[in-house]
Amino acid sequence: MKLVFGIIGMVVVIGLTHGAVLDLVNLVHQYEDEILGRRVGHPGIREENQLEDENEKMDDVGRPIEVHGWDDNLKLGQVSAVDVNLDDNPVIFQRGPVEWNAKSFDMKNVLRVKKVIAEDTILTLDADKGKVKSGFGAGLFYMPHGLKIDHEGNTWVTDVGMHQVFKFNKGETKPSLVLGEAFVPGNDANHFCKPTAVAVASTGQIFVADGYCNNRVAVYDAAGKHIHDIQGNWNVVHSVVLFEQEDIVCIANREGKKVECLGAGLHSPQFLGQSSSVVTDLGRVFAIAGRGTALLAVNGKGSYYDPPTRGVTLDLANDNQLVDTWGDELVNPHDVAVARAGDAVYVVEIGPNAVRKFEVVTPAAEMF
C-alpha cells in the first residue's frame, strides 16, 4: 500500500527560541486568525475535524523506501535538480561533461570557461522504468543548477554560470522568458548571482532563490517584472518551496544549516518576509520539498558534529516534529522532489551522478 501525502495543513509554526518578539507576533496572529479570520493556515480559522483528519494522516505517515537499481541504465553528468511533471514522471537537470569545481568561477563569480553543453540537459524519465523518455536543452546551458515544473507544466531552470532564470512553456524547447543578464552577476532587479532554484505561484508570481552570492529571494510577476525581494540572514539560499495556501515560502539556508519559513506576501502583503518558523539541527540542507503537512529535506556532508547524510521528513503542522529519517545510503544529495500523487520521492546526487527513486509506503505495508 502506498501513501498519498495529505492536503496541505497548517504550516506556520512558531516557538523556536525567538523570545518575546515572536511571543508578541503570536498574539497578533492569534487575534487575526480567531477574530479577523485571516487565512494563512492557523487553527483559529479552521474546522476541528479538518485538523483531526490531518493529524491522523501524519500518524499514518509513509516512509520512503529506495528502489535499488532503478537508475542503473542512466548515463549522466552531474545531476543538479529534479522535479515531477504533470504526468508524474521525474524531470532532471544535468550537466553532461561539465563539472563545477573550485576553478569554475573567478573571484568576481564570473564563469571562467564559457563552453556550452552540447547534449540534452533537461531529461524526462519514465517513473516506472527509470529510462529517458525525452530530452532537450542542448546548446543552451553552461552550468545547470535548479529546475521546477509549475502547475501548468511549464519548466523553469536556473543556470549559475549564466546567472539567469529560464522559463520553457509546456512542450516547448525554446525559452519564453529569461530573467537576468547572461554571464553578468549582480544584485538588483535585472541581475542575479548564481541563482539556485525557483518556485512559482498559481498567480504567476516567480520566487527566485538568489543564491550563492545574494542572500535573497527575488520575486517577479508573471511577465518577469521585479516586484520586491525577501531578505534574510542566510548563507547560500540553495532551495525554495512555496506553500501557497498558507502564504508561506520556505528556504534552505545551506551553510546556515537551517530551514526558514517566511511570509510570501501573496495574500497578506503586510506579513511579507516575516519569519514564521526556523528548523535547526538538519546539517547542511541542500534541498527541500513540500507536500501536505510534510516537509522533506536532504542534507550533504558537513562537520563532525552535523547529522549524517540522509533525508528527513518533518511535520510542519506539529511543531516541526521529526517524523522520519530515510535515505541512509545517500552520498551527496543535491535536490529532492515528491511525486504529485505522493507515492514516490526522487533524490538526485552529484558524485555519484545518480537519480534515486524511493517508493513511499505506509507502516502497515512494511510489515508484509
Side-chain angles (χ1 to χ4, degrees):
M1 178 180 178
K2 298 180 180 179
L3 172 74
V4 177
F5 282 116
I7 303 301
I8 292 177
M10 184 181 68
V11 175
V12 182
V13 284
I14 304 179
L16 292 173
T17 69
H18 287 279
V21 174
L22 282 183
D23 288 339
L24 178 59
V25 172
N26 259 333
L27 290 174
V28 173
H29 283 186
Q30 182 178 353
Y31 170 79
E32 290 173 331
D33 295 333
E34 295 182 0
I35 307 301
L36 302 181
R38 181 169 62 90
R39 181 66 174 96
V40 292
H42 287 272
I45 54 174
R46 310 181 65 188
E47 297 294 336
E48 292 185 2
N49 57 356
Q50 183 179 356
L51 290 174
E52 291 175 358
D53 289 343
E54 289 169 356
N55 289 334
E56 290 176 1
K57 290 171 183 175
M58 289 308 301
D59 289 341
D60 193 31
V61 69
R63 189 167 201 270
I65 304 295
E66 185 169 2
V67 182
H68 290 93
W70 179 81
D71 68 337
D72 281 353
N73 294 320
L74 296 176
K75 305 299 180 183
L76 304 167
Q78 293 182 338
V79 192
S80 60
V82 62
D83 202 2
V84 292
N85 62 20
L86 300 186
D87 296 324
D88 240 355
N89 287 313
V91 181
I92 64 171
F93 204 19
Q94 63 103 22
R95 296 173 182 158
V98 172
E99 294 185 358
W100 187 353
N101 55 45
K103 299 180 180 180
S104 297
F105 294 86
D106 66 18
M107 295 300 293
K108 296 182 178 180
N109 295 302
V110 176
L111 187 66
R112 285 195 169 100
V113 179
K114 299 177 180 62
K115 183 178 181 180
V116 70
I117 300 172
E119 65 185 71
D120 286 341
T121 51
I122 301 173
L123 305 177
T124 299
L125 310 180
D126 187 296
D128 296 322
K129 301 177 181 178
K131 297 180 179 181
V132 176
K133 291 172 65 72
S134 62
F136 70 98
L140 292 178
F141 303 110
Y142 293 78
M143 191 66 74
H145 198 278
L147 179 145
K148 176 65 179 177
I149 310 295
D150 69 19
H151 59 286
E152 295 180 342
N154 305 311
T155 300
W156 299 77
V157 296
T158 71
D159 187 309
V160 291
M162 301 180 76
H163 306 286
Q164 288 183 303
V165 176
F166 300 82
K167 174 188 178 182
F168 296 85
N169 290 341
K170 182 182 179 182
E172 301 295 327
T173 59
K174 294 183 179 180
S176 60
L177 179 66
V178 180
L179 303 177
E181 183 178 354
F183 302 111
V184 180
N187 185 10
D188 56 41
N190 300 311
H191 295 86
F192 305 108
C193 189
K194 298 178 182 173
T196 54
V198 177
V200 183
S202 62
T203 59
Q205 286 193 25
I206 309 155
F207 293 74
V208 180
D210 184 34
Y212 280 92
C213 329
N214 304 326
N215 295 316
R216 65 171 180 165
V217 175
V219 184
Y220 297 80
D221 66 18
K225 181 180 178 181
H226 183 260
I227 304 174
H228 50 242
D229 291 339
I230 299 175
Q231 303 279 357
N233 184 23
W234 306 318
N235 187 2
V236 181
V237 187
H238 203 259
S239 184
V240 60
V241 170
L242 181 65
F243 290 89
E244 187 169 352
Q245 184 177 354
E246 285 71 22
D247 203 6
I248 290 294
V249 60
C250 298
I251 65 98
N253 179 7
R254 194 184 77 180
E255 300 308 313
K257 302 179 182 180
K258 301 174 183 177
V259 170
E260 184 170 5
C261 298
L262 312 96
L266 293 171
H267 314 305
S268 303
Q270 68 271 31
F271 296 103
L272 173 69
Q274 178 181 288
S275 182
S276 62
S277 68
V278 178
V279 186
T280 60
D281 301 322
L282 296 177
R284 297 175 66 224
V285 187
F286 273 71
I288 53 178
R291 181 176 174 83
T293 64
L295 181 78
L296 280 71
V298 291
N299 69 288
K301 295 177 182 178
S303 70
Y304 173 81
Y305 300 99
D306 287 331
T309 301
R310 63 185 182 181
V312 300
T313 303
L314 303 167
D315 181 6
L316 296 185
N318 190 18
D319 295 327
N320 303 328
Q321 179 184 356
L322 178 63
V323 177
D324 190 20
T325 62
W326 48 272
D328 294 338
E329 297 181 20
L330 293 173
V331 178
N332 196 23
H334 198 262
D335 199 12
V336 60
V338 182
R340 294 175 187 270
D343 59 351
V345 173
Y346 299 93
V347 177
V348 294
E349 297 194 279
I350 294 178
N353 302 329
V355 185
R356 295 179 182 262
K357 178 180 180 179
F358 297 79
E359 287 191 344
V360 182
V361 298
T362 64
E366 292 185 69
M367 297 172 59
F368 299 98

